[in-house]
Amino acid sequence: MHPVRAIEVARTGGPEVLEMVERDRPVARPGHVVVRVETAGVNFIDTYERSGAYSLALPFVPGKEGAGEIVEVGEGVDGFVEGEGVAWAFTPGSYAEYVEVPVTDLYAVPEDVELDMAAAAMLQGLTAHFLVTSAYTVMPGDTVLVHAAAGGVGLLLTQLAVARGATVIGTVGSEDKARIALQAGLSHVLRYDLMDDLAHDLPAAVRSLAPDGVDAAYDGVGRTTFDGSLASVRRRGSLVLFGAASGPVPPVDPQRLNVAGSITLSRPSLRDFIATAEEREWRSSDIFHGILLGDLSVRIDRGYSLDEAADAHRALEGRRTSGKLLLHP
Ligand code: NDP
């Protein structure tokens, strides 16, 4: 066995708990491949797992997403060969030089898509895809609200919703982010960082643009925006709560959905929308085709070296990023 470098979380906490360690290189079990990681994607969920908000057995190597080259193919794996460029979206342990990936999470990267781009587009791209096609199906003529529209998911979600014929109202936390989100196709941008009372000011601003309310609100911000999102949705509309960047939403009394106008509330997770080979193929090929045709623009905010993982987490949690953060082992 030769030792390889990885980031490890041995105790949960702030970004400082991300520590470089040496481990044995993984070996490909049946149904798996081992990949030399070219690029690991950083996602908000990595911060929940690092902090302990989502509980994992310790110690663990963070990261779920990346792209690289196959260096070993396990028994029973068909259709993938050594030397091939692949990406993955939901495999633990990607902040490392090598990772073992199950074939059920492997995506062949088209020749003309760079591995950095593939790593950047997987988790957030598949998420944006299931949000607009399945969690709530965006239809031409819809008006939807997207929070953190200049974020990793937000920029892709905005583009995919616009491509399906929706008018998108987006919220952002700075003037720079407003400019970036408008380039992704937002029709209206709201500076929610400048609002004193989000529960009141947010729906007031949304309803000044869409008087009946939006057909759907996509809320990955959570605690600070939830009440405002609920009050922004039209009668019989949908509130898709898909994250908690500002913290978890307190328990919700279902009666509130009645009072707000027979609202449908969902709390979907990507893993349930990539559970079959058909869904993975559908979603990933839409994303890769979008990139190849130039219809989908993936914004890479910044690349970091593996030993700068803590800096990447600080930037993401500090709301200083627009788009994707990557780690290069
Ligand atoms: P982003 O790049 O969107 O970063 C999070 C953004 O949230 C920030 O840039 C910031 O934008 C906004 N934000 C608002 N309040 C806060 C706060 N208090 N602290 C930190 N950020 C805040 O991250 P991702 O694209 O990786 O993820 C976006 C959301 O989607 C997350 O909640 C994540 O958990 C969720 N997600 C859910 C999935 C699922 O399957 N359900 C899958 C993938 C992601 P601004 O400054 O503009 O407010």
Side-chain angles (χ1 to χ4, degrees):
M1 280 295 111
H2 72 280
V4 294
R5 295 182 322 144
I7 296 291
E8 188 177 86
V9 173
R11 62 189 165 93
T12 54
E16 69 285 353
V17 304
L18 297 169
E19 284 193 348
M20 185 72 83
V21 297
E22 292 203 331
R23 302 184 138 210
D24 285 341
R25 206 202 85 172
V27 176
R29 289 170 296 172
H32 293 68
V33 302
V34 172
V35 181
R36 186 183 52 72
V37 181
E38 171 98 10
T39 311
V42 177
N43 291 285
F44 221 90
I45 190 172
D46 305 343
T47 70
Y48 306 146
E49 293 181 349
R50 186 215 69 222
S51 69
Y54 285 6
S55 164
L56 294 189
L58 296 168
F60 66 89
V61 176
K64 298 219 171 305
E65 167 191 56
E69 188 183 298
I70 296 179
V71 294
E72 189 190 342
V73 177
E75 243 177 72
V77 173
D78 291 325
F80 290 97
V81 293
E82 248 182 73
E84 187 173 355
V86 289
W88 58 97
F90 225 73
T91 297
S94 299
Y95 288 12
E97 288 180 314
Y98 291 85
V99 64
E100 187 196 26
V101 183
V103 71
T104 49
D105 191 30
L106 266 188
Y107 300 87
V109 177
E111 228 170 66
D112 292 334
V113 175
E114 288 176 9
L115 288 179
D116 262 13
M117 192 52 71
M122 293 312 301
L123 200 156
Q124 292 167 338
L126 295 170
T127 299
H129 192 278
F130 90 73
L131 288 173
V132 300
T133 57
S134 306
Y136 169 80
T137 307
V138 174
M139 302 299 286
D142 276 356
T143 299
V144 301
L145 175 65
V146 172
H147 286 304
V153 173
L155 286 172
L156 299 169
L157 179 53
T158 298
Q159 292 176 70
L160 294 186
V162 168
R164 292 176 70 88
T167 296
V168 182
I169 301 171
T171 58
V172 296
S174 73
E175 202 47 46
D176 274 353
K177 290 186 178 187
R179 187 178 41 77
I180 291 165
L182 284 167
Q183 284 166 4
L186 280 192
S187 295
H188 309 279
V189 68
L190 302 175
R191 286 284 304 277
Y192 59 178
D193 60 314
L194 302 179
M195 296 178 183
D196 292 328
D197 176 5
L198 277 181
H200 174 267
D201 299 351
L202 183 68
V206 169
R207 285 177 186 272
S208 72
L209 302 165
D212 294 336
V214 292
D215 297 286
Y218 288 108
D219 191 340
V221 171
R223 192 176 55 76
T224 56
T225 47
F226 181 83
D227 290 346
S229 296
L230 185 57
S232 298
V233 175
R234 70 161 167 80
R235 172 175 285 153
R236 290 166 56 180
S238 293
L239 170 49
V240 183
L241 177 68
F242 67 96
S246 68
V249 174
V252 180
D253 177 356
Q255 181 63 7
R256 288 186 63 195
L257 306 176
N258 167 5
V259 172
S262 303
I263 305 302
T264 299
L265 170 65
S266 60
R267 177 53 180 96
S269 170
L270 173 62
R271 70 170 177 266
D272 297 315
F273 293 83
I274 50 172
T276 65
E278 291 72 27
E279 264 197 309
R280 290 192 291 276
E281 169 60 26
W282 166 41
R283 300 192 192 287
S284 63
S285 61
D286 276 6
I287 297 297
F288 284 138
H289 283 141
I291 293 172
L292 285 168
L293 294 172
D295 294 338
L296 187 66
S297 158
V298 182
R299 185 174 199 275
I300 296 176
D301 180 271
R302 198 184 140 184
Y304 294 80
S305 62
L306 191 58
D307 56 10
E308 294 173 319
D311 292 336
H313 277 215
R314 283 186 193 101
L316 187 59
E317 290 175 295
R319 303 174 73 168
R320 297 197 300 275
T321 65
S322 296
K324 190 73 199 177
L325 305 186
L326 298 174
L327 299 179
H328 295 117

